[in-house]
Amino acid sequence: MNKDNQANGGSLPDIRRTIMLNAPIGKVWEAVATSEGIAAWFMPNNFEPKEGFEFVLNAGPFGNSPCKVTEIDPPHRLSFTWGKDWTLTFELAEADGQTEFTLIHGGWSADQLTEFGEAHSIVRSRMDQGWGGLVEKLASYVAG
């Protein structure tokens, strides 16, 4: 296999979800950058908001997925690696008392398999749909 093709030719687009949340940026930041907040709308975890911190997301039947905080800029941006291939980024921007929230799920490659032996192209489609529901769950959580 040609390594250049593997590195450049097989990438799939990031999953991007942007939603306007009816909550101030501080409240949304608490929901996306604390262990309790992340557990309320996404997955149980032992997250701590420190760059370089290694934690796990409890993915139910898939077990614990290793993660590592790669960037934290309160209350605007959090990035972490997820599993062996992915990066999740949460971006927040203030907008007249509300918060524009963007989720970016990157690291997709057409010629790679997940830790569980599934093709990225198949998992990406499933995850894209799943994120739609999860950002709605986040919206409900911060509006309450």
Side-chain angles (χ1 to χ4, degrees), residues 32-114:
V32 302
T34 65
S35 179
E36 298 79 13
I38 294 168
W41 66 276
F42 185 30
M43 290 184 193
N45 64 88
N46 64 342
F47 172 86
E48 289 187 25
K50 300 176 195 159
E51 194 165 319
F53 185 77
E54 295 184 10
F55 66 102
V56 295
L57 289 171
N58 182 332
F62 295 104
N64 288 330
S65 291
C67 301
K68 183 177 183 177
V69 178
T70 55
E71 182 183 356
I72 187 158
D73 178 19
H76 299 287
R77 187 175 170 93
L78 168 67
S79 288
F80 57 89
T81 60
W82 179 17
K84 68 180 185 65
D85 301 320
W86 298 325
T87 301
L88 273 185
T89 301
F90 303 146
E91 295 179 342
L92 290 69
E94 287 184 270
D96 298 323
Q98 296 185 316
T99 305
E100 183 182 78
F101 172 76
T102 300
L103 173 141
I104 304 162
H105 185 170
W108 300 100
S109 179
D111 50 14
Q112 280 187 271
L113 300 177
T114 67

Side-chain angles (χ1 to χ4, degrees), residues 4 6 10 12 14 18 20 27 33 54 57 60 62 64 68 72 85 96 100 103 107 110 112 116 118 125 127 129 142:
D4 289 338
Q6 188 174 359
L12 298 168
D14 292 346
T18 299
M20 190 61 71
K27 186 172 185 181
E54 295 184 10
L57 289 171
F62 295 104
N64 288 330
K68 183 177 183 177
I72 187 158
D85 301 320
D96 298 323
E100 183 182 78
L103 173 141
Q112 280 187 271
F116 309 107
E118 291 185 289
S125 175
M127 294 289 270
Q129 293 177 2
V142 298

